[in-house]
Amino acid sequence: MQKVLNKPVIKIGRIAGQYAKPRSSPTEIVDGAEISSFFGDNVNSFEPEAKLRKPDPYRLLEGYNLSALTYQTIRRLEKKDNIEDIIKEVQD
């Protein structure tokens, strides 16, 4: 954009999400059964099945890795004008 407009451009962005959620109750009733509450994608599954609601530490690692990839992609966007090149790099 800076090249096209021939003017300085200030980049501003906000990337956020709520991937771990506090809950007022550690459990909830679903179809008459008490299961663990959904604590966010970094903790357990949204699906209302007891085995999927068990906290899984690998979800936190996956969230960290995806966050790092997102940050790296944004850094590449700052340095390159061609989004197709960035997409190829991320896919490789």
Side-chain angles (χ1 to χ4, degrees):
M1 193 169 6
Q2 187 168 337
K3 290 179 182 178
V4 173
L5 297 175
N6 199 24
K7 296 194 182 251
V9 173
I10 298 172
K11 300 171 191 164
I12 299 173
R14 177 181 182 270
I15 299 174
Q18 190 176 359
Y19 299 106
K21 305 170 182 307
R23 294 290 183 228
S24 57
S25 175
T27 61
E28 62 180 297
I29 305 296
V30 177
D31 295 330
E34 185 176 16
I35 62 172
S36 180
S37 295
F38 173 58
F39 286 97
D41 293 315
N42 275 349
V43 179
N44 60 3
S45 176
F46 179 75
E47 296 298 320
E49 294 181 35
K51 66 180 181 178
L52 297 176
R53 289 287 180 93
K54 182 179 178 187
D56 181 358
Y58 290 103
R59 287 175 159 272
L60 190 57
L61 293 173
E62 181 182 13
Y64 174 83
N65 290 330
L66 291 173
S67 295
L69 179 62
T70 301
Y71 179 70
Q72 291 169 6
T73 302
I74 291 168
R75 294 297 302 240
R76 290 179 182 148
L77 280 170
E78 290 179 336
K79 296 178 183 177
K80 296 185 179 185
D81 296 327
N82 189 345
I83 188 71
E84 287 81 17
D85 289 344
I86 295 167
I87 292 169
K88 286 179 188 176
E89 287 178 21
V90 169
Q91 289 176 340
D92 290 341

